[in-house]
Amino acid sequence: MNMTDVIKLVNTNRGTGKKESLSRMSLLMKKLGNPQESLKYVHVAGTNGKGSTSAFLASILNESDIRVGVYTSPHLERINERIQINGSEITDEEFIRLTEAVAPLVEEVERELDEVLYSFEILTAVALAYFSEHNCELVILEAGIGGRLDATNIIETPLAAIITSIGLDHMKVLGESKEQIALEKAGIIKHNGVVIFPEMSPSIDDIVLKKARSEKAVPVQIRQSDILNVRLSEDDSVFDYKDLKNISIQLLGRHQISNAVLAIETARILRGKGYTIEASAVKNGLMKAKWPGRMEKISEEPTVIIDGAHNPEGIEHLKNNLLRLFPDDKLIFVVGMMKDKAYMEMIRTVFPQAKKILAVSPDPYRGFDAEETAQKIVSEGIPAKAFESVESVINNLKTSAQSDDKIVVFGSLYLIGEFRTIWK
């Protein structure tokens, strides 16, 4: 095997139908020797904010000298990003070795059940085996889609479960309403566990609380009223939370403060379970945390911010953050989304802030038609232009943008990853 073979197995569209249980995953892990049983976890689910919250928490644990594995998805530039220990990605050699070990077991499961495993199930098995081999003291495990039937939910009760947000995304799999989606994501709450979650809406909060009660789990809800003295800039955000003052984070946007607070409360839970996590480690970890592609500034003159906002909740956060950061500026937007999204509805959200919009498809097969999208935008009174590739968009911007322009790139993480790579 080489890395091309690995990616074909763990990052392609494969799998049989809609999942009704975790039986495939359970059998695969059993054949692998159930490595997940040797580990302790923080399990993270939510529509938006999973990766940022995981990054904040991982950085706090790194500052506390705790050996922490982190499993996230998707990746921006290379698949190794998804499996890390204390900030170091899995090497190609180890990725290949572990995938070679898992691949024949995948074939056995598929023969025995007459079903095809999803790539995410296989990748999750590889990650759990890797973390077990390397004796991680704790693993931050980010769910892929949903929670109840997600491959990561093969674990027993985690030390803490985090639900970051509930929004409308992956509705064909999770349900047509926020309440249905909340039920799926609340599936990570386990017997006698702990769940940390923010204030959302009465109906969503009630679903989380009912699930916690049914599992005899302790609910810890973040109160926005405990977040004080918020100061936002293009370079950082500063705030107070309970007894912690002047907390500084590099991840931009008001919503990232909420994600940071989820990490703070989780660290407090872990401290109560025997982990040594000082207040100084919390503040330093939050300050050092990075999560590429989410309200990330990658250029100064012109200012370029990239953000993987690709669903209604994410777009709303983006709009509000831009209004706070650039209240008096008209912005140049670059957008690329998948054609199965309500992309025009989301693009319209930024119309009031737009000087012009540049459209590019993030994927030749699944992405929207850039030319058609640009025409629709123009027909609604906003200057727009279509481009054939991310490289051509960047060439245009580097030759035409003024040093004081504000450029915001948003949409599919495929677009964000490619833009970030080429811009550098």
Side-chain angles (χ1 to χ4, degrees), residues 44 49-59 70-72 140-142 162 164 263 291:
V44 187
K50 297 189 297 293
S52 300
T53 302
S54 297
F56 282 127
L57 182 58
S59 189
V70 183
Y71 179 56
T72 59
I140 300 170
L141 197 61
E142 181 189 312
I162 305 173
T164 59
W291 189 236

Side-chain angles (χ1 to χ4, degrees), residues 94-288:
E94 290 205 271
F95 216 147
I96 291 166
R97 177 180 61 80
L98 284 165
T99 305
E100 285 177 337
V102 171
L105 304 179
V106 169
E107 292 178 4
E108 287 181 21
V109 170
E110 292 181 340
R111 280 197 307 270
E112 290 174 25
L113 298 183
D114 194 25
E115 295 182 29
V116 179
L117 282 151
Y118 286 98
S119 287
F120 186 75
E121 292 172 312
I122 302 168
L123 180 61
T124 301
V126 169
L128 293 172
Y130 177 69
F131 296 139
S132 179
E133 275 192 12
H134 286 267
N135 300 311
C136 289
E137 296 174 72
L138 187 63
V139 172
I140 300 170
L141 197 61
E142 181 189 312
I145 295 176
R148 181 176 65 93
L149 294 175
D150 190 80
T152 59
N153 212 27
I154 196 68
I155 65 171
E156 296 298 321
T157 302
L159 297 180
I162 305 173
I163 297 175
T164 59
S165 68
I166 302 295
L168 295 174
D169 203 2
H170 302 295
M171 292 180 286
K172 289 181 181 177
V173 177
L174 302 179
E176 295 296 321
S177 70
K178 287 185 179 181
E179 287 73 19
Q180 288 175 311
I181 292 169
L183 279 168
E184 290 296 317
K185 294 187 186 293
I188 69 166
I189 303 171
K190 301 268 180 56
H191 187 64
N192 288 335
V194 179
V195 59
I196 302 106
F197 64 106
E199 290 177 315
M200 291 178 275
S201 70
S203 63
I204 301 301
D205 294 350
D206 189 53
I207 287 168
V208 176
L209 290 167
K210 280 183 176 176
K211 177 64 174 176
R213 281 196 298 270
S214 72
E215 296 291 346
K216 295 182 171 57
V218 177
V220 177
Q221 189 170 32
I222 306 300
R223 303 291 178 188
Q224 292 300 312
S225 58
D226 288 329
I227 302 172
L228 301 171
N229 300 320
V230 173
R231 302 181 294 286
L232 304 179
S233 75
E234 286 182 48
D235 299 304
D236 66 358
S237 301
V238 181
F239 64 100
D240 299 340
Y241 180 71
K242 294 183 176 178
D243 58 320
L244 296 175
K245 310 300 180 187
N246 289 312
I247 304 163
S248 175
I249 59 174
Q250 294 184 55
L251 276 65
L252 303 181
R254 179 61 179 77
H255 64 298
Q256 295 292 11
I257 293 175
S258 296
N259 294 332
V261 170
L262 287 168
I264 291 170
E265 287 295 347
T266 306
R268 287 178 170 164
I269 296 297
L270 294 174
R271 188 185 302 134
K273 292 179 180 289
Y275 290 87
T276 302
I277 304 171
E278 304 293 343
S280 59
V282 172
K283 291 189 73 173
N284 290 337
L286 292 175
M287 182 176 62
K288 293 178 181 179

Side-chain angles (χ1 to χ4, degrees), residues 336-375:
M337 292 190 178
M338 298 304 181
K339 62 187 175 184
D340 63 347
K341 303 278 185 182
Y343 56 86
M344 278 307 301
E345 182 179 330
M346 289 189 275
I347 295 170
R348 288 188 189 100
T349 303
V350 303
F351 276 7
Q353 295 163 280
K355 179 193 293 186
K356 63 180 176 181
I357 298 177
L358 312 181
V360 59
S361 180
D363 183 275
Y365 305 105
R366 297 185 296 139
F368 67 22
D369 185 305
E371 191 68 49
E372 180 184 289
T373 302
Q375 289 173 5

